[in-house]
Amino acid sequence: QVQSVEFGGGLVQPGGSLRLSCAASGFSSADYTLGWFRQAPGKEREAVSCISRKDNTTSYGDFVKDRFTVSSDNAKNTLYLQLNSLKPEDTAVYYCAAGSFCLEVYTDFYYDMEYWGKGTLVTVSS
């Protein structure tokens, strides 16, 4: 069964940190472009970060501004997202995904992701 499950969400104060994990099963993460996306209440889903399967290059949404770091451990079939200097506007459900491509063109992301996790809620509040 193909499945991606996110872990690590929770409540954190502004300025705090969290580490999200995404464990994949049923497919090899090394064969796919991987990404993190988020959706805040009342807003559209947006790309947070992607790792290319071709050359492991990473890309980040403009709002990240060096606060988040994406990484993957193909041996563990796991994707990570380190969130630092969190702001209330980072509050959202964070999803991991795997697919054929995720490209950043100027400030826009174009992606085709096949497998999606169910998401983990990150709440940034004092």
Side-chain angles (χ1 to χ4, degrees):
Q1 181 181 3
V2 174
Q3 191 175 13
S4 296
V5 181
E6 300 92 343
F7 302 93
L11 174 63
V12 63
Q13 292 186 342
S17 298
L18 282 175
R19 189 191 194 202
L20 306 184
S21 302
C22 173
S25 61
F27 67 96
S28 173
S29 60
D31 295 334
Y32 292 85
T33 285
L34 308 174
W36 286 97
F37 299 79
R38 72 182 189 182
Q39 187 166 19
K43 294 187 177 181
E44 294 185 353
R45 182 176 63 198
E46 61 183 350
V48 178
S49 180
C50 291
I51 295 182
S52 168
R53 66 179 172 178
K54 292 183 179 180
D55 54 13
N56 286 325
T57 56
T58 58
S59 54
Y60 295 90
D62 277 356
F63 58 86
V64 171
K65 298 186 186 301
D66 299 324
R67 299 181 298 127
F68 301 170
T69 303
V70 65
S71 60
S72 65
D73 185 335
N74 291 332
K76 296 182 178 179
N77 231 21
T78 301
L79 179 69
Y80 303 97
L81 184 67
Q82 178 67 40
L83 309 171
N84 296 328
S85 303
L86 283 163
K87 305 174 182 180
E89 51 264 43
D90 294 318
T91 295
V93 177
Y94 285 71
Y95 301 89
C96 67
S100 57
F101 69 87
C102 179
L103 304 174
E104 183 184 18
V105 180
Y106 296 107
T107 60
D108 294 325
F109 275 85
Y110 299 88
Y111 54 87
D112 181 13
M113 308 305 275
E114 183 174 355
Y115 303 119
W116 292 84
K118 293 184 178 180
T120 185
L121 176 63
V122 172
T123 303
V124 185
S125 175
S126 56

